Amino acid sequence: MLDPETRNLKPENNIKNNPKIMKAWAFYDWANSVYSLVITSTIFPIYYSILTTKYEKKEYLADQKRWIDVPVRHDITLFGETYHPDAVYGYSLTVSFFIVVLLSPFLSSLADTIGNKKSFLQFFCYLGATSCMGLAMFTGMNNVFLGLLFSITASVGFWGSLVFYNSFLPDIATVEKQDALSAKGYVYGYIGSVILVIICLILIMVVAETPKEKLIYTRVSFLFTGAWWFGFSQYTFKHLPQFGNVKDKLPKDLVLLNYKNIFKSHEEHGGFFDVLKDNISFYIDVAKQSFKELFKVGNQLFANTNLKFFLSSFFFYSVGMQTIFLMATLFGKSEINLDQGRLIGTLLVIQIEAIIGAIIFSRLSKKIGNKNVISIAVILWIVACLWAYFLNKENPTVEYQFYGVAAIVGLVMGGLQAMSRSTYSKLLPEDSMDNTTYFSFYDVLEKLAIILGTFIFATLIEHFNNMRIAALAMVIFFFAGLMLIRFVKINMLADRDTL
């Protein structure tokens, strides 16, 4: 069913290091990173925490001779069992990444086969953007599962689009430019997301005059997030190239990919049901090939000693990095009990720091190599986790200590993400049309790490009712990642192994 020639199509020769194309690619970070900040990191987790809180009770701290407000949360009943709402939120993230893991190998293989990975990038972009807007319908405990559903589909849209977005990096930039372009994308993303969050904060904290109005403007911010993501991504889709022209190599009238063809009679190809049968057979073949290809690529990558240690390290430190990134806001709200304004202000500072961190780490890699830069970042993550564990809300300086932890996280967050993406990109074969499949493996590995991390984090919250213990558990994964990255023997900035 699949013609081998399909997989040997080369991208156009004039797209490498094309300034307009590279800018358009990086600009997608500007478009989609508002999801990361508004929905994942700041406004939605706080909104979720508020709507899942019954009331706040007063608790007296005898040592400090002062009263503090302690939130009492609603339990969420799921399959006949009751769960802490923060644990349910963590499990919902686990579900979303599990869906991405199942879909991305198949879709990336389909994109490599058809040569239309930009179309898949668009699909997941629009899924994520509309889901963000759908969160505006989440209004309380009466429809909490609707909010969690849109949270899941928004996550699938965001992370699903990154599979295809990241795979463009080696297609459009040569090795020596990939570090800078990867960092540039993150910088665009941090700047764009900070701008939107500031706009949303003005609405929520300045324009809104009552608690009810604050909740209304919070929902408006979800609409803005989806519109921003949808609107600014059009610049990327306008200039990013579409590889391949393989219509003659595929089943006639792909009815499942082109909704317009579903409504045709298809008499020239034997009728609708014959075409549908041919399509289903085609997709089954692609599904089988995709997972076979994924395992083949995995074996290829891990057969290379350098890549084996890098990817193993990446998996372990991603467990900690991505889990903490996803749960950080709920940590500040639940464990430190920071008010909304200070918490969001802290997270904004983190984003600004991340811009600086991405630039610093990109430049530092030119002097000491990617391996050493990644090692430094992981060590700082370990320090942040240990510090977070020893935070005690009864300590009068706990708020300032939390700011210190946040400062470390902000510095290394953008740098480690950018260096990981570009390091992997530089280790791939040049001019390969299988880049989507290679990055699918990279993204699947990252999502498996997040599935493991969010599941462990949520389970520890449910068992101990304490996020600090969950944060401490992440140290184990960071330490494993640090040990493994040190086994990489070459200067990854300068050398490339052929797979």
Side-chain angles (χ1 to χ4, degrees), residues 210-420:
T210 65
K212 184 177 180 180
E213 287 184 353
K214 290 181 184 293
L215 293 179
I216 291 173
Y217 280 114
T218 298
R219 293 195 286 274
V220 169
S221 71
F222 301 150
L223 296 175
F224 282 173
T225 301
W228 179 291
W229 188 354
F230 182 93
F232 283 113
S233 65
Q234 300 311 307
Y235 177 78
T236 298
F237 300 147
K238 179 180 179 181
H239 297 289
L240 207 60
Q242 182 75 280
F243 298 135
N245 183 20
V246 293
K247 293 179 181 178
D248 293 337
K249 308 292 184 182
L250 305 173
K252 302 298 182 183
D253 294 339
L254 280 169
V255 298
L256 299 184
L257 275 183
N258 187 345
Y259 70 92
K260 295 178 182 178
N261 285 343
I262 295 177
F263 302 102
K264 294 181 179 179
S265 64
H266 304 278
E267 291 180 1
E268 67 275 22
H269 301 308
F272 174 79
F273 289 104
D274 281 348
V275 171
L276 180 62
K277 181 180 177 181
D278 192 30
N279 271 252
I280 291 173
S281 177
F282 169 76
Y283 289 114
I284 290 174
D285 284 352
V286 172
K288 290 179 180 178
Q289 179 176 310
S290 65
F291 286 96
K292 185 183 296 184
E293 186 75 11
L294 190 67
F295 285 111
K296 176 184 174 183
V297 167
N299 289 332
Q300 266 189 308
L301 296 173
F302 278 88
N304 179 290
T305 302
N306 192 54
L307 275 167
K308 176 174 67 176
F309 284 120
F310 169 73
L311 287 171
S312 299
S313 172
F314 171 74
F315 173 80
F316 282 107
Y317 68 66
S318 290
V319 171
M321 176 176 65
Q322 297 293 352
T323 302
I324 290 174
F325 174 70
L326 291 167
M327 304 299 291
T329 302
L330 288 179
F331 182 94
K333 187 71 176 171
S334 300
E335 292 295 326
I336 312 302
N337 202 26
L338 280 183
D339 63 56
Q340 182 173 338
R342 293 182 181 181
L343 183 55
I344 293 179
T346 302
L347 292 166
L348 279 176
V349 171
I350 287 178
Q351 297 299 309
I352 295 170
E353 266 197 288
I355 297 171
I356 300 170
I359 296 172
I360 291 174
F361 278 63
S362 175
R363 293 180 178 177
L364 188 60
S365 67
K366 296 179 181 179
K367 296 183 178 180
I368 64 174
N370 290 35
K371 179 181 78 171
N372 293 324
V373 167
I374 290 173
S375 298
I376 292 171
V378 173
I379 290 171
L380 290 174
W381 271 109
I382 292 173
V383 172
C385 288
L386 291 172
W387 196 352
Y389 172 72
F390 288 104
L391 292 179
N392 184 351
K393 62 184 175 183
E394 297 184 3
N395 189 319
T397 65
V398 66
E399 181 177 331
Y400 300 104
Q401 291 185 44
F402 179 75
Y403 296 152
V405 174
I408 295 175
V409 170
L411 182 64
V412 298
M413 182 173 65
L416 186 54
Q417 287 178 313
M419 285 300 99
S420 298

Side-chain angles (χ1 to χ4, degrees), residues 55-73 334-337 392-395 398 465 468:
Y55 57 88
E56 289 189 339
K57 66 178 182 180
K58 294 289 185 180
E59 185 175 299
Y60 184 70
L61 301 180
D63 294 342
Q64 301 176 34
K65 297 180 180 180
R66 66 186 180 99
W67 291 88
I68 62 172
D69 293 322
V70 178
V72 177
R73 309 290 294 280
S334 300
E335 292 295 326
I336 312 302
N337 202 26
N392 184 351
K393 62 184 175 183
E394 297 184 3
N395 189 319
V398 66
N465 196 27
R468 293 185 299 111

Side-chain angles (χ1 to χ4, degrees), residues 459-472:
T459 301
L460 291 174
I461 292 172
E462 182 63 28
H463 186 73
F464 294 102
N465 196 27
N466 188 325
M467 280 196 179
R468 293 185 299 111
I469 292 177
L472 180 65

